[in-house]
Amino acid sequence: LFISAYAMRMHFGDWSPLREPTLLTWNTGLLFVTSGAMQWTVVAARRGQIDGVRNGLVAGGALSFAFLAGQLLVWKQLNDAGVFLRSNPAHAFFYLLTAVHGLHLLGGLYVWGRTLARTRREDVEAIDVRLSVELCSVYWHFLLFVWLGVFAVMLST
């Protein structure tokens, strides 16, 4: 619905497209690597390699936090350049879309944290966390897919 509203709103006269910060391309790359780390974690869980699961989860989480930090840095760069939420509707949509995506990522990190905590138990086997790992991976792949759509829409204007 946000994308639909974005597409409709951009045809009004007060719309001034936002020049995409270069850092967004790097952040997109981070999401690809994060998704890969989560998939690697699934493979480790299927093979029964609990150390691989732990390492994959730590890598996926660290990369996710790096993405969020990158997004905050983009916001700071835009703010320093005078691109504010109220500057024009294109800017407001940029902040809205990136904030909603970040909130979804934070929600995923909550589940990721619970899964990582389960892997820290002494008696845990990879099979015990396999479903959680697979769900986290699917969620991260979905977040990447959504981000690519949002990114494409913002670049198209």
Side-chain angles (χ1 to χ4, degrees):
L1 290 173
F2 285 138
I3 300 298
S4 188
Y6 184 95
M8 288 187 284
R9 184 62 178 88
M10 65 189 279
H11 297 294
F12 285 65
D14 62 344
W15 188 271
S16 178
L18 174 68
R19 192 169 146 243
E20 295 298 323
T22 306
L23 187 54
L24 283 182
T25 303
W26 288 101
N27 285 350
T28 301
L30 267 176
L31 281 184
F32 272 106
V33 176
T34 304
S35 192
M38 295 305 284
Q39 187 60 38
W40 179 63
T41 307
V42 169
V43 171
R46 289 178 182 163
R47 291 182 178 163
Q49 302 167 339
I50 192 64
D51 288 336
V53 170
R54 286 183 192 118
N55 293 338
L57 285 172
V58 168
L63 291 163
S64 296
F65 282 112
F67 172 82
L68 289 173
Q71 290 300 89
L72 291 174
L73 184 57
V74 167
W75 282 10
K76 182 183 178 330
Q77 288 174 345
L78 290 174
N79 190 52
D80 292 347
V83 177
F84 303 112
L85 185 65
R86 293 180 172 214
S87 300
N88 78 58
H91 301 168
F93 266 102
F94 174 83
Y95 285 110
L96 173 69
L97 293 173
T98 57
V100 169
H101 187 266
L103 288 173
H104 281 95
L105 187 56
L106 285 173
L109 283 168
Y110 171 76
V111 176
W112 163 86
R114 291 180 52 107
T115 303
L116 183 61
R118 286 181 57 203
T119 68
R120 300 292 184 194
R121 295 185 197 151
E122 285 188 34
D123 62 339
V124 74
E125 298 286 328
I127 193 71
D128 299 330
V129 293
R130 182 175 166 180
L131 179 60
S132 293
V133 166
E134 289 178 352
L135 291 173
C136 282
S137 179
V138 167
Y139 190 75
W140 257 260
H141 298 331
F142 175 74
L143 286 176
L144 171 62
F145 177 75
V146 168
W147 177 255
L148 291 174
V150 167
F151 194 61
V153 166
M154 288 188 295
L155 286 177
S156 70
T157 57

